[in-house]
Amino acid sequence: MVTPEPRDVPDVLTPAKLGPLTLRNRIVKAATFEGATPDGLVTDRLIEYHRGPAAGGVGMTTVAYLAVAPEGRTERRQIWMRPEAVPGLRRLTDAVHAEGAAVSAQIGHAGPVANAASNRSPALAPTRRFSPLGMRTTRAATEADIARIVRAHGEAARLALASGFDAVEIHLGHNYFASAFLSPRLNRRRDRYGGSLANRATVAREAARAVRDAVGDRIAVTAKLNMDDGVPGGIWLDESLRLARWLQDDGTVDALELTAGSSLLNPMYLFRGGAPLRDFAATFPQPQRLGVLALGGRFLIEYPYQEAYLLDSARQFRAALDLPLVLLGGISDLATAQRAMAEGFDFVAMGRALLREPDLINRYRDGTSSTSLCVHCNRCMPTIYTGTRCVLVDTEPPARR
């Protein structure tokens, strides 16, 4: 019996190719909304938010969230991609490049996750439903709406290219617009966008095609894809795997970042660890605060934290695909990141660990640390309303300093 040659396992701290890019290492700062754009344009604080992990050693940092249309913002303080945003975004990409890192633009449309009251525009969804995010009913997107939003993905990608980004990440997760169409629970349409998975996947595949056609091979194209929604009746691994194969065969993306959960229905399914209900409630005025305290536990369901908690699901994608994959979810230890390499993943994405310690990767490299100080309390989550930060380090919102 011939024993197969062992596969070479790359060091997570060594360079790697991502489409046309070569990253200095295989660690990506995941997209986490920064809460640093009060006027919907780049600020010095947003630049520093990304310059920090770039100086701290990541291979690439991801700017979140850049909406492709004004009603596609989760709330009105976010950037939406338009020519006026380009000069500020160019300042941001220049700052990241000066630190030796690459930078990606996460683009997408929030769909039913948009706060209609904040945006002063109806939230668009596959079908009408009540949304607790804006306390209003969503509007069913027309075919004209869908075509416009698909085109807007391509236009946003062109603007990202003009702004100096090295990559774009298409948001196909968390029940945002494209992900909502994928969900059997949220998509009850009877036209060519509903019913079969092939129909429900049309928006995701057309958006990815629009982006690829817009940028070609000049920058990398990735997609953030839900493996499952974490809610009854949502998309599950079997259907998500089929879509991943279609995206691979379409040739529209250079890698997939695997995620899970629904910002609309079950956000803590992605953010394992503490469910900071009191911190969230404190961001609301009365009487909403009392309502959040009384009922918020039904929405903020607490799941126990463990290292690499999405790995079991992600293994099924690794076994079925040739496409490069980014492992996300509870990666704090250098050993965990290296384990991802041993299991065939090409990159790892880190969020909360780098929010706690932007210089963590440099300390991995110089041997002064092997794990993050993040305790996964998730008290960073409610700070998106006042400036995203680790409250164990930055106790006061930026506006109060």
Side-chain angles (χ1 to χ4, degrees), residues 40-52:
L41 292 170
V42 171
T43 61
D44 289 344
R45 185 171 189 276
L46 181 68
I47 293 172
E48 285 304 304
Y49 185 100
H50 289 281
R51 193 198 62 78

Side-chain angles (χ1 to χ4, degrees), residues 132-147:
L133 300 178
M135 300 302 290
R136 299 183 183 183
T137 300
T138 62
R139 180 168 70 78
T142 65
E143 292 203 8
D145 289 324
I146 295 168

Side-chain angles (χ1 to χ4, degrees), residues 168-179:
V168 291
E169 177 186 284
I170 310 164
H171 203 319
L172 304 180
H174 305 165
N175 286 164
Y176 282 38
F177 191 74
S179 175

Side-chain angles (χ1 to χ4, degrees), residues 171 173-174 224-228 257-261 270 310 328:
H171 203 319
H174 305 165
K224 191 168 207 171
L225 179 67
N226 258 26
M227 294 183 289
D228 71 283
E257 182 176 296
L258 302 172
T259 188
L270 172 61
L310 296 182
L328 172 73

